[in-house]
Amino acid sequence: MSLSFLIKLKILWALNDVEKIYFPILAAVGVPINVVTIVILSRGKCGLSKCVTYYLVSMAVADLLVVILDLILRQIPIVYREQFTFLYYVRVCDIHAGLLYAATDCSVWFTETFSFDRFVAICCQKLKTKYCTQKTAAVVLGTVTVLSCLKNMFWYFLYQSQYLLSNSPWFCVVAPAESRSLAWAVTELMHHILTPFIPFILILLLNALTVKNILIVNTARRRFRNRSSGESPMDPEMVNRRKSMILLFVISGNFVLLWVVFMMCSILNRLEYFLWYMVTVSLPTFVQEIGFMLQLLSCCTNTFIYAVTQRKFRLELRNGVKYPFTMMVKLIR
């Protein structure tokens, strides 16, 4: 047994011990903060347009479903497999898988559609009035939800209904006829290309185009205002653009950073099936575990992003925290 193998094994064991603490804490935090986010944003008092509110609430709902379906009902039973041995005999994994992957697709693609909406709002002024509306947001989000559910129905037929409690990208027993077939490998690869590889690339592209447009427009507006007024007073339009840009970049940057390891591991694992004669280096298992941990963390961070970037959201959050204590004081008096 080589030294490098022993080191990788010890790192994996250490990560498994960390996961036994990390996943329950993440679940205990992820559920309430996403619920709080949904409630605060739904009240419509954060100074955001209804269009943006639709996207942010939908992202929070999808993240909440991922926390429940993936973190609580999948990852925690895996790391505490000794206490969840009864799951070997529960025959609903195929249904669970379809729901989980549909929720994950929604979480990823809602982020992508939000990025596109903000790109249009910032860079396409003529299209903005027609596209960046409450009705369009509802249609886009509904379409993404339906397509995500339809896309993931096939897992019901590829999986057997029993759970496989092991640290693996797939947590259900694969039908024996499919496990080593070309169709299974293609299906798995396409699944990861659609989520999250394509959204990953699109978000980077949209953000690059947004930055380019903002720099050009801001430079032109600054020159025009300097010439017309002889000084450089604060431009309300530039301030609004800056706020939209900060929210967009922090949300999309958070998604990219926390999903990149999981995306690389998932796609490389499947490429080995097709390029086994070319692939000479495979990523250690512990890298895949780190990818899982970061990907799940992405479902619990948006609330903190809103609290940092949105003053009115912070105010609503503060009022919500103070409300029970205020009511207790009133009752005591």
Side-chain angles (χ1 to χ4, degrees), residues 54-55 58 102 105-106 109-110 113 131 134-152:
Y54 268 37
Y55 283 107
S58 298
D105 281 3
C106 286
W109 281 97
F110 287 168
T113 52
Y131 184 84
Q134 186 178 351
K135 181 179 178 180
T136 301
V139 170
V140 169
L141 293 168
T143 302
V144 170
T145 302
V146 171
L147 291 178
S148 297
C149 292
L150 292 175
K151 167 184 172 290
N152 290 287

Side-chain angles (χ1 to χ4, degrees), residues 51-329:
C51 174
V52 172
T53 301
Y54 268 37
Y55 283 107
L56 298 185
V57 169
S58 298
M59 289 161 60
V61 171
D63 287 344
L64 177 61
L65 290 175
V66 173
V67 169
I68 294 171
L69 293 169
D70 198 346
L71 185 56
I72 297 176
L73 298 180
R74 176 188 180 187
Q75 297 298 343
I76 290 178
I78 285 176
V79 297
Y80 287 98
R81 60 181 68 88
E82 296 84 1
Q83 288 76 34
F84 287 87
T85 53
F86 68 90
L87 285 179
Y88 284 110
Y89 310 103
V90 177
R91 307 188 64 84
V92 293
C93 193
D94 43 8
I95 299 173
H96 181 192
L99 293 174
L100 167 58
Y101 299 143
T104 303
D105 281 3
C106 286
S107 177
V108 172
W109 281 97
F110 287 168
T111 304
E112 162 56 30
T113 52
F114 171 71
S115 298
F116 182 75
D117 178 87
R118 292 301 85 196
F119 166 76
V120 172
I122 295 172
C123 303
C124 308
Q125 295 302 307
K126 292 183 179 179
L127 182 59
K128 175 182 176 180
T129 54
K130 294 182 179 180
Y131 184 84
C132 300
T133 64
Q134 186 178 351
K135 181 179 178 180
T136 301
V139 170
V140 169
L141 293 168
T143 302
V144 170
T145 302
V146 171
L147 291 178
S148 297
C149 292
L150 292 175
K151 167 184 172 290
N152 290 287
M153 286 177 60
F154 65 85
W155 295 113
Y156 180 85
F157 303 100
L158 289 178
Y159 283 149
Q160 293 182 351
S161 55
Q162 288 180 302
Y163 287 87
L164 176 65
L165 293 184
S166 62
N167 285 21
S168 168
W170 309 117
F171 63 110
C172 302
V173 177
V174 184
E178 306 292 343
S179 59
R180 296 186 179 180
S181 67
L182 178 61
W184 167 256
V186 171
T187 299
E188 194 175 348
L189 179 62
M190 290 303 299
H191 173 74
H192 287 300
I193 287 177
L194 288 173
T195 306
F197 182 74
I198 291 178
F200 192 94
I201 298 301
L202 288 176
I203 286 173
L204 292 177
L205 177 61
L206 290 173
N207 284 358
L209 292 174
T210 302
V211 170
K212 180 181 178 181
N213 178 271
I214 288 174
L215 292 176
I216 294 173
V217 172
N218 284 358
T219 301
R221 287 181 66 88
R222 193 177 295 113
R223 288 176 180 174
F224 175 78
R225 290 177 67 86
N226 288 342
R227 289 174 183 175
S228 61
S229 62
E231 54 185 15
S232 182
M234 183 174 292
D235 185 347
E237 179 67 22
M238 291 176 64
V239 171
N240 290 333
R241 284 170 176 260
R242 189 179 299 112
K243 290 180 179 179
S244 294
M245 182 181 66
I246 290 172
L247 181 61
L248 168 64
F249 289 171
V250 175
I251 290 176
S252 56
N254 172 72
F255 167 77
V256 169
L257 289 175
L258 295 181
W259 272 83
V260 64
V261 177
F262 176 83
M263 182 191 72
M264 290 174 57
C265 292
S266 301
I267 293 179
L268 285 176
N269 285 343
R270 276 298 92 197
L271 285 177
E272 286 183 353
Y273 183 97
F274 301 100
L275 306 175
W276 58 270
Y277 54 90
M278 296 173 59
V279 177
T280 57
V281 179
S282 59
L283 294 174
T285 305
F286 71 82
V287 177
Q288 178 176 273
E289 290 299 307
I290 293 173
F292 283 151
M293 296 168 71
L294 293 176
Q295 180 239 326
L296 288 169
L297 179 62
S298 69
C299 297
C300 306
T301 53
N302 280 349
T303 302
F304 299 103
I305 291 173
Y306 305 149
V308 171
T309 61
Q310 302 295 310
R311 182 182 62 82
K312 291 185 177 180
F313 184 90
R314 289 197 299 274
L315 180 61
E316 287 292 307
L317 184 60
R318 190 181 304 118
N319 292 338
V321 172
K322 291 164 58 177
Y323 181 76
F325 300 101
T326 304
M327 292 301 296
M328 288 176 61
V329 171

